[in-house]
Amino acid sequence: MPGLTFSTAPRGYVRAPADAPGFWQLGNLWRVMATGHQTGGSLCFIDQLVTPEGGGPGVHLHPSDEGLYVASGHCTFHAGGTTVSAGAGSFVFVPRFTEHAFSVDAPGTQLLNFYLPAGFELFIMGFAHPAERDELPRHGEAAMPPVRLVERLSRDFGQLAAPGYPLPGTVPPAPELMFSRPNPDAAVPPYLTSAASSPRWRHDSQRWSVLADQARTDGSFSLFEVAAPAGAGAPPHLFVRSDVFYYLLDGALDLWIGEEVRRAEAGDVAFVPRGTPHARVALGEGARFLYIVTPAGFERVLEQSSERAGEDAEALGNAPGRPVDPARAERLLHDIGLRPLAVTDPFVSQSCLVA
């Protein structure tokens, strides 16, 4: 992000939506669950409640890679000259400097947005109205910001209007502002996927759906939708060069982050900065969560040590994993900067997948 740096060392944390600052913008509620200040500039994460009367800004582009997961409802996304229909459970990736927009097709739509690197949250927080309630604004409750303010924030944080379109946030959403054009210079194209249509791996009773990987994001991040039954988890480990981020879709996890145990429940997020010892275990009836690793590459561990889960593999079951050559496994862990830790597992987890 031009002119934007984060100098403080980030700390691991768990945050609930009720504890996140909320903002009203374009008729929507934006809960800022993680800022660049909290993640050392690695990423920001926004939980959006959006309505057909609101919707996203018109076509725009920015210097961050963007991921959008539809937690509920339905949206239509326009990115890089393509238009896709996205229901609950869909994930859309938009590479940096790619024209994009979205419209909302159903009430009760919730979007989970993350941007790498961080900075977009400061652009939004700079001109949106602080939310007076943890709910969508009423009609006319949050007026459009002054154009000069948005222009100044756009210069400060590198946000761009697509040629021929107004700056995002300066005009209400409209159908004629939703059509994007291809970016021939992009290293990778935008795409749509879901857990049901993505490669799936099963290891130690956990099912990993690969929504994004090194090849599809040009190394920016890997994203997984993970389903874990009660008692499944990961033993103590750390990433040397990667940050880790969780969003709890269902259920609950206990997370050991830097020698402190914290609980994350549905709707909560958790951040684990690189170099921080951590472990986890699923509670109650299990957990389903999004798992972001940045930079990308963790999917190589699954490819080497896990069994593919077929499309009909709804029951998790305990899969032993494929035999792995110890020397090859050690080289892979070294390459991606993952270090198992020879310390007592705080959850006495039986899991053998370090993730």
Side-chain angles (χ1 to χ4, degrees), residues 252-273:
L253 294 174
D254 267 353
L255 295 159
W256 178 69
I257 306 175
E259 302 184 358
E260 181 180 349
V261 175
R262 313 178 194 193
R263 181 153 299 175
E265 300 177 329
D268 294 351
V269 299
F271 174 69
V272 183

Side-chain angles (χ1 to χ4, degrees), residues 7 28 51 75-76 93 103 136 155 157 176 222 287-288 311:
S7 58
N28 305 321
T51 70
C75 287
T76 299
F93 171 63
S103 53
L136 291 165
R155 291 194 299 269
F157 299 115
E176 63 271 17
S222 300
R288 186 169 62 96
E311 293 184 2

Side-chain angles (χ1 to χ4, degrees), residues 85-113:
S85 178
S90 299
F91 172 73
V92 175
F93 171 63
V94 181
R96 60 192 65 191
F97 296 116
T98 296
E99 291 187 8
H100 62 285
F102 72 88
S103 53
V104 183
D105 306 321
T109 296
Q110 179 187 13
L111 278 180
L112 308 173
N113 283 71

Side-chain angles (χ1 to χ4, degrees), residues 58-280:
V59 167
H60 63 286
L61 57 157
H62 41 68
S64 301
D65 293 321
E66 181 176 2
L68 306 101
Y69 181 92
V70 184
S72 63
H74 195 281
C75 287
T76 299
F77 289 95
H78 314 271
T82 63
T83 297
V84 295
S85 178
S90 299
F91 172 73
V92 175
F93 171 63
V94 181
R96 60 192 65 191
F97 296 116
T98 296
E99 291 187 8
H100 62 285
F102 72 88
S103 53
V104 183
D105 306 321
T109 296
Q110 179 187 13
L111 278 180
L112 308 173
N113 283 71
F114 55 93
Y115 303 81
L116 308 93
F120 185 80
E121 78 284 12
L122 299 179
F123 173 63
I124 290 295
M125 294 164 68
F127 68 80
H129 292 256
E132 298 177 10
R133 304 175 306 279
D134 187 33
E135 60 185 49
L136 291 165
R138 302 185 183 99
H139 180 70
E141 200 163 23
M144 299 299 296
V147 173
R148 288 184 60 190
L149 174 61
V150 181
E151 290 174 342
R152 177 56 187 268
L153 291 167
S154 298
R155 291 194 299 269
D156 288 347
F157 299 115
Q159 307 308 310
L160 303 171
Y165 289 94
L167 274 170
T170 59
V171 296
E176 63 271 17
L177 302 177
M178 294 291 141
F179 297 99
S180 63
R181 291 159 292 199
N183 177 10
D185 298 323
V188 289
Y191 68 87
L192 166 75
T193 191
S194 68
S197 59
S198 297
R200 293 195 285 184
W201 300 91
R202 188 173 61 180
H203 193 102
D204 194 29
S205 300
Q206 298 171 88
R207 186 171 60 241
W208 296 68
S209 301
V210 184
L211 302 181
D213 59 20
Q214 188 168 12
R216 301 192 81 175
T217 67
D218 195 31
S220 180
F221 66 94
S222 300
L223 172 67
F224 311 88
E225 185 175 319
V226 185
H237 63 286
L238 62 80
F239 286 92
V240 176
R241 297 182 296 275
S242 299
D243 298 319
V244 175
F245 196 87
Y246 292 83
Y247 178 89
L248 270 290
L249 294 165
D250 299 298
L253 294 174
D254 267 353
L255 295 159
W256 178 69
I257 306 175
E259 302 184 358
E260 181 180 349
V261 175
R262 313 178 194 193
R263 181 153 299 175
E265 300 177 329
D268 294 351
V269 299
F271 174 69
V272 183
R274 62 193 67 187
T276 302
H278 59 286
R280 70 165 187 273

